[in-house]
Amino acid sequence: MPHIYACHLSDQLIQFTGPDKKSYLHGQITQDVNLLTNDALLWAGQCDAKGKLWSILRLFNFQDDYFAITSKDEIENALAEFKKYAVFAKVDIEQNKNHQLVGLFGDDLSAVLSELEIILPTENNSTIDFKFGKAIKLDNNRLILCIDKKAQLPSCITLLESEQKWQSLSILAGEPKLNNQAIAEYVPQMVNLQAIGGISFKKGCYKGQETVARMKFLGKNKRAMYILEANTNKPFEATEVEQQLGENWRRAGKLIQTSFDIDTNRAYALAIMPNDLALDTLLRTKQENPISIEIKPLPYSLIEE
């Protein structure tokens, strides 16, 4: 039987309830909330007035409420900003602590899908209700399960103590996530949010819209998110990467996420760097014993229509 793995995710859930939840959320994020159907998963960004990201969100609809998945580093600022103007609308915004997020992955998930009675949609980034909650399909080999904390996983699953393997797969898929140092530092295009459908340029006003639009229509954005990989026997210790220029090394960008696969001795990272950087650029971590890094191709295009 193919190996099927699961891990408890450190990501957090924000829940939006009330009659004004759609109109309120629509005015707070880069995404068009009118596109949020019961079977859709939508990326979105929550910006400050200058267009810098407070959080990156994955939105879905569950039991007539809206849910947003964000990282443990982003949840505090995200909640505070969402609640700041909520007193003027009929909407309740709270961190959901009744459900757990589980990452499910493997080369063949058919056994566990059958046991959970989940019939997956054909499209990636889609969702479906099932007996224990909501199943979120990222691709054919990765699901996020949003389930009650009392729900038991099938015995055919190997439950991992760490989410590092899951994080590595997320990084290799080019899925952006901010760490503490990256909050309010980057506009959405710098983390490739436009490339994964996380920005609507046709919707009405939202906080930071002027900056986001200027980046697109005036070509102001000069940075992008890259996938990095290194062959090493230890995790990345650095927060920055350097590029070689002649005989010298100069700062190239900052790491916003890292992971380490102890079984393969491979370290992975997402880094924000100049968007014209060649894929064969020589890079290393900025630390006492630097680690050589390779840039991996993104699984999507950054060329905008």
Side-chain angles (χ1 to χ4, degrees), residues 143-181:
L143 302 180
I144 295 175
L145 302 181
C146 176
I147 56 179
D148 188 276
K149 286 194 172 181
K150 298 179 181 178
Q152 297 294 315
L153 296 173
S155 59
C156 61
I157 295 174
T158 300
L159 184 61
L160 303 176
E161 294 183 1
S162 166
E163 63 177 341
Q164 285 295 301
K165 284 185 178 292
W166 174 269
Q167 295 289 18
S168 296
L169 293 173
S170 298
I171 287 173
L172 290 170
E175 297 171 353
K177 182 185 290 186
L178 303 179
N179 59 18
N180 276 318
Q181 293 74 35

Short mmCIF file of all heavy atoms in Angstrom, two decimals, residues 143-181:
data_model
loop_
_atom_site.label_atom_id
_atom_site.label_comp_id
_atom_site.label_asym_id
_atom_site.label_seq_id
_atom_site.Cartn_x
_atom_site.Cartn_y
_atom_site.Cartn_z
N LEU A 143 -3.75 17.49 0.49
CA LEU A 143 -5.03 18.02 0.96
C LEU A 143 -4.83 18.69 2.32
O LEU A 143 -3.95 18.30 3.09
CB LEU A 143 -6.08 16.91 1.16
CG LEU A 143 -6.48 16.00 0.01
CD1 LEU A 143 -7.52 15.02 0.52
CD2 LEU A 143 -7.03 16.80 -1.14
N ILE A 144 -5.66 19.68 2.60
CA ILE A 144 -5.80 20.18 3.97
C ILE A 144 -7.18 19.75 4.45
O ILE A 144 -8.19 19.98 3.77
CB ILE A 144 -5.68 21.71 4.03
CG1 ILE A 144 -4.28 22.17 3.63
CG2 ILE A 144 -5.99 22.21 5.45
CD1 ILE A 144 -4.14 23.69 3.56
N LEU A 145 -7.22 19.12 5.61
CA LEU A 145 -8.49 18.75 6.23
C LEU A 145 -8.78 19.73 7.36
O LEU A 145 -7.95 19.91 8.25
CB LEU A 145 -8.44 17.33 6.78
CG LEU A 145 -8.10 16.21 5.80
CD1 LEU A 145 -8.12 14.86 6.51
CD2 LEU A 145 -9.05 16.21 4.61
N CYS A 146 -9.94 20.35 7.30
CA CYS A 146 -10.44 21.19 8.39
C CYS A 146 -11.51 20.39 9.10
O CYS A 146 -12.63 20.25 8.58
CB CYS A 146 -10.99 22.51 7.84
SG CYS A 146 -11.74 23.57 9.10
N ILE A 147 -11.16 19.83 10.25
CA ILE A 147 -12.04 18.88 10.92
C ILE A 147 -12.17 19.21 12.40
O ILE A 147 -11.35 19.93 12.98
CB ILE A 147 -11.52 17.43 10.76
CG1 ILE A 147 -10.08 17.31 11.27
CG2 ILE A 147 -11.60 16.99 9.30
CD1 ILE A 147 -9.51 15.91 11.18
N ASP A 148 -13.22 18.67 13.00
CA ASP A 148 -13.42 18.83 14.43
C ASP A 148 -12.22 18.26 15.19
O ASP A 148 -11.63 17.26 14.79
CB ASP A 148 -14.70 18.10 14.85
CG ASP A 148 -15.09 18.38 16.28
OD1 ASP A 148 -14.54 17.70 17.17
OD2 ASP A 148 -15.92 19.27 16.51
N LYS A 149 -11.85 18.89 16.29
CA LYS A 149 -10.68 18.45 17.03
C LYS A 149 -10.83 17.04 17.61
O LYS A 149 -9.84 16.39 17.93
CB LYS A 149 -10.37 19.44 18.16
CG LYS A 149 -9.77 20.75 17.64
CD LYS A 149 -9.16 21.56 18.76
CE LYS A 149 -8.39 22.75 18.19
NZ LYS A 149 -7.76 23.57 19.24
N LYS A 150 -12.06 16.56 17.73
CA LYS A 150 -12.29 15.22 18.27
C LYS A 150 -12.26 14.15 17.18
O LYS A 150 -12.28 12.95 17.49
CB LYS A 150 -13.63 15.18 18.99
CG LYS A 150 -13.72 16.12 20.20
CD LYS A 150 -15.08 16.05 20.86
CE LYS A 150 -15.18 17.01 22.04
NZ LYS A 150 -16.54 16.96 22.67
N ALA A 151 -12.22 14.56 15.91
CA ALA A 151 -12.26 13.59 14.82
C ALA A 151 -10.99 12.76 14.79
O ALA A 151 -9.89 13.25 15.03
CB ALA A 151 -12.45 14.33 13.50
N GLN A 152 -11.13 11.46 14.50
CA GLN A 152 -10.02 10.54 14.43
C GLN A 152 -9.64 10.28 12.97
O GLN A 152 -10.50 10.07 12.13
CB GLN A 152 -10.38 9.21 15.11
CG GLN A 152 -10.68 9.34 16.60
CD GLN A 152 -9.46 9.76 17.40
OE1 GLN A 152 -8.36 9.23 17.21
NE2 GLN A 152 -9.64 10.73 18.30
N LEU A 153 -8.33 10.26 12.70
CA LEU A 153 -7.86 9.98 11.36
C LEU A 153 -7.84 8.48 11.10
O LEU A 153 -7.62 7.69 12.02
CB LEU A 153 -6.46 10.56 11.16
CG LEU A 153 -6.35 12.09 11.26
CD1 LEU A 153 -4.88 12.51 11.24
CD2 LEU A 153 -7.11 12.76 10.14
N PRO A 154 -8.04 8.06 9.85
CA PRO A 154 -8.02 6.63 9.52
C PRO A 154 -6.67 5.99 9.86
O PRO A 154 -5.62 6.63 9.84
CB PRO A 154 -8.27 6.61 8.01
CG PRO A 154 -9.00 7.89 7.74
CD PRO A 154 -8.43 8.89 8.71
N SER A 155 -6.70 4.69 10.16
CA SER A 155 -5.49 3.97 10.58
C SER A 155 -4.48 3.79 9.46
O SER A 155 -3.31 3.47 9.72
CB SER A 155 -5.89 2.60 11.13
OG SER A 155 -6.59 1.85 10.15
N CYS A 156 -4.89 3.97 8.21
CA CYS A 156 -3.97 3.81 7.08
C CYS A 156 -3.02 5.00 6.93
O CYS A 156 -2.12 4.98 6.09
CB CYS A 156 -4.74 3.58 5.78
SG CYS A 156 -5.84 4.96 5.31
N ILE A 157 -3.20 6.01 7.75
CA ILE A 157 -2.38 7.22 7.69
C ILE A 157 -1.22 7.12 8.68
O ILE A 157 -1.40 6.73 9.83
CB ILE A 157 -3.22 8.47 8.00
CG1 ILE A 157 -4.28 8.70 6.93
CG2 ILE A 157 -2.33 9.71 8.12
CD1 ILE A 157 -5.23 9.84 7.25
N THR A 158 -0.03 7.49 8.23
CA THR A 158 1.12 7.64 9.13
C THR A 158 1.16 9.08 9.63
O THR A 158 1.38 10.01 8.84
CB THR A 158 2.43 7.30 8.40
OG1 THR A 158 2.39 5.95 7.94
CG2 THR A 158 3.62 7.47 9.34
N LEU A 159 0.93 9.27 10.92
CA LEU A 159 0.89 10.62 11.48
C LEU A 159 2.31 11.04 11.88
O LEU A 159 2.96 10.39 12.71
CB LEU A 159 -0.03 10.67 12.70
CG LEU A 159 -0.25 12.04 13.34
CD1 LEU A 159 -0.89 13.00 12.36
CD2 LEU A 159 -1.10 11.91 14.60
N LEU A 160 2.79 12.12 11.30
CA LEU A 160 4.13 12.62 11.57
C LEU A 160 4.11 13.60 12.73
O LEU A 160 3.14 14.34 12.92
CB LEU A 160 4.70 13.31 10.32
CG LEU A 160 4.75 12.46 9.05
CD1 LEU A 160 5.25 13.31 7.87
CD2 LEU A 160 5.64 11.24 9.24
N GLU A 161 5.19 13.62 13.50
CA GLU A 161 5.28 14.55 14.63
C GLU A 161 5.59 15.96 14.18
O GLU A 161 5.27 16.92 14.87
CB GLU A 161 6.35 14.07 15.61
CG GLU A 161 6.01 12.76 16.30
CD GLU A 161 7.06 12.36 17.32
OE1 GLU A 161 8.03 13.13 17.49
OE2 GLU A 161 6.91 11.29 17.94
N SER A 162 6.24 16.11 13.04
CA SER A 162 6.67 17.41 12.53
C SER A 162 5.93 17.73 11.23
O SER A 162 5.55 16.84 10.48
CB SER A 162 8.18 17.41 12.29
OG SER A 162 8.58 18.53 11.52
N GLU A 163 5.78 19.02 10.96
CA GLU A 163 5.18 19.45 9.69
C GLU A 163 6.24 19.85 8.67
O GLU A 163 5.92 20.45 7.64
CB GLU A 163 4.20 20.60 9.91
CG GLU A 163 4.81 21.87 10.47
CD GLU A 163 3.80 23.01 10.59
OE1 GLU A 163 2.73 22.98 9.95
OE2 GLU A 163 4.10 23.95 11.35
N GLN A 164 7.51 19.51 8.92
CA GLN A 164 8.58 19.94 8.03
C GLN A 164 8.43 19.40 6.61
O GLN A 164 8.68 20.11 5.63
CB GLN A 164 9.94 19.54 8.61
CG GLN A 164 10.39 20.40 9.78
CD GLN A 164 10.65 21.84 9.38
OE1 GLN A 164 11.48 22.12 8.52
NE2 GLN A 164 9.92 22.77 9.98
N LYS A 165 8.05 18.14 6.46
CA LYS A 165 7.86 17.58 5.11
C LYS A 165 6.73 18.32 4.39
O LYS A 165 6.82 18.59 3.19
CB LYS A 165 7.57 16.08 5.18
CG LYS A 165 8.79 15.22 5.48
CD LYS A 165 8.45 13.75 5.40
CE LYS A 165 9.68 12.89 5.63
NZ LYS A 165 10.65 13.01 4.52
N TRP A 166 5.67 18.62 5.12
CA TRP A 166 4.56 19.37 4.53
C TRP A 166 5.02 20.77 4.11
O TRP A 166 4.70 21.23 3.03
CB TRP A 166 3.41 19.47 5.53
CG TRP A 166 2.28 20.33 5.07
CD1 TRP A 166 2.12 21.67 5.30
CD2 TRP A 166 1.16 19.92 4.30
NE1 TRP A 166 0.97 22.13 4.71
CE2 TRP A 166 0.36 21.08 4.08
CE3 TRP A 166 0.75 18.70 3.76
CZ2 TRP A 166 -0.83 21.03 3.34
CZ3 TRP A 166 -0.43 18.66 3.03
CH2 TRP A 166 -1.21 19.81 2.83
N GLN A 167 5.79 21.41 4.97
CA GLN A 167 6.29 22.74 4.65
C GLN A 167 7.19 22.71 3.41
O GLN A 167 7.15 23.63 2.59
CB GLN A 167 7.06 23.32 5.84
CG GLN A 167 6.23 23.57 7.09
CD GLN A 167 5.27 24.74 6.94
OE1 GLN A 167 4.95 25.19 5.85
NE2 GLN A 167 4.79 25.25 8.06
N SER A 168 7.98 21.66 3.28
CA SER A 168 8.84 21.54 2.10
C SER A 168 8.00 21.44 0.83
O SER A 168 8.31 22.08 -0.19
CB SER A 168 9.75 20.31 2.22
OG SER A 168 10.64 20.46 3.30
N LEU A 169 6.94 20.65 0.88
CA LEU A 169 6.06 20.52 -0.29
C LEU A 169 5.38 21.85 -0.61
O LEU A 169 5.21 22.21 -1.78
CB LEU A 169 5.01 19.44 -0.04
CG LEU A 169 5.54 18.00 0.07
CD1 LEU A 169 4.42 17.06 0.49
CD2 LEU A 169 6.16 17.56 -1.24
N SER A 170 4.98 22.59 0.42
CA SER A 170 4.35 23.89 0.21
C SER A 170 5.32 24.88 -0.43
O SER A 170 4.95 25.65 -1.33
CB SER A 170 3.84 24.46 1.54
OG SER A 170 2.85 23.62 2.10
N ILE A 171 6.58 24.85 0.03
CA ILE A 171 7.60 25.73 -0.54
C ILE A 171 7.84 25.37 -2.01
O ILE A 171 7.90 26.24 -2.88
CB ILE A 171 8.89 25.64 0.28
CG1 ILE A 171 8.71 26.37 1.62
CG2 ILE A 171 10.08 26.24 -0.48
CD1 ILE A 171 9.87 26.19 2.58
N LEU A 172 7.96 24.07 -2.30
CA LEU A 172 8.20 23.63 -3.67
C LEU A 172 7.03 23.96 -4.58
O LEU A 172 7.20 24.07 -5.80
CB LEU A 172 8.51 22.14 -3.70
CG LEU A 172 9.86 21.74 -3.10
CD1 LEU A 172 9.96 20.23 -2.95
CD2 LEU A 172 11.00 22.26 -3.96
N ALA A 173 5.84 24.12 -4.02
CA ALA A 173 4.68 24.53 -4.80
C ALA A 173 4.60 26.05 -4.96
O ALA A 173 3.69 26.56 -5.63
CB ALA A 173 3.40 24.02 -4.14
N GLY A 174 5.54 26.77 -4.34
CA GLY A 174 5.56 28.23 -4.47
C GLY A 174 4.42 28.91 -3.75
O GLY A 174 3.94 29.97 -4.19
N GLU A 175 3.98 28.34 -2.63
CA GLU A 175 2.86 28.89 -1.87
C GLU A 175 3.38 29.87 -0.82
O GLU A 175 4.05 29.46 0.12
CB GLU A 175 2.06 27.76 -1.22
CG GLU A 175 1.43 26.85 -2.25
CD GLU A 175 0.81 25.61 -1.66
OE1 GLU A 175 0.97 25.37 -0.43
OE2 GLU A 175 0.16 24.85 -2.42
N PRO A 176 3.07 31.16 -0.95
CA PRO A 176 3.66 32.16 -0.05
C PRO A 176 3.11 32.10 1.36
O PRO A 176 1.95 31.77 1.59
CB PRO A 176 3.28 33.49 -0.73
CG PRO A 176 2.03 33.17 -1.48
CD PRO A 176 2.17 31.76 -1.96
N LYS A 177 3.99 32.42 2.30
CA LYS A 177 3.63 32.51 3.71
C LYS A 177 4.64 33.43 4.38
O LYS A 177 5.84 33.35 4.10
CB LYS A 177 3.64 31.12 4.35
CG LYS A 177 3.23 31.11 5.82
CD LYS A 177 3.40 29.72 6.43
CE LYS A 177 2.39 28.74 5.89
NZ LYS A 177 2.46 27.43 6.61
N LEU A 178 4.17 34.31 5.25
CA LEU A 178 5.05 35.28 5.88
C LEU A 178 5.51 34.80 7.25
O LEU A 178 4.73 34.21 8.01
CB LEU A 178 4.32 36.62 6.07
CG LEU A 178 3.74 37.28 4.81
CD1 LEU A 178 3.03 38.58 5.20
CD2 LEU A 178 4.81 37.54 3.77
N ASN A 179 6.77 35.06 7.57
CA ASN A 179 7.23 34.90 8.94
C ASN A 179 7.13 36.25 9.65
O ASN A 179 6.72 37.25 9.06
CB ASN A 179 8.65 34.33 9.00
CG ASN A 179 9.66 35.20 8.28
OD1 ASN A 179 9.43 36.38 8.00
ND2 ASN A 179 10.82 34.63 7.96
N ASN A 180 7.51 36.28 10.92
CA ASN A 180 7.37 37.51 11.71
C ASN A 180 8.09 38.70 11.09
O ASN A 180 7.58 39.83 11.09
CB ASN A 180 7.90 37.28 13.13
CG ASN A 180 6.87 36.64 14.03
OD1 ASN A 180 5.70 37.00 14.00
ND2 ASN A 180 7.29 35.67 14.83
N GLN A 181 9.29 38.45 10.55
CA GLN A 181 10.10 39.54 10.01
C GLN A 181 9.54 40.08 8.69
O GLN A 181 9.87 41.20 8.29
CB GLN A 181 11.54 39.06 9.79
CG GLN A 181 12.31 38.74 11.06
CD GLN A 181 11.86 37.44 11.70
OE1 GLN A 181 11.51 36.49 11.01
NE2 GLN A 181 11.85 37.40 13.03
#
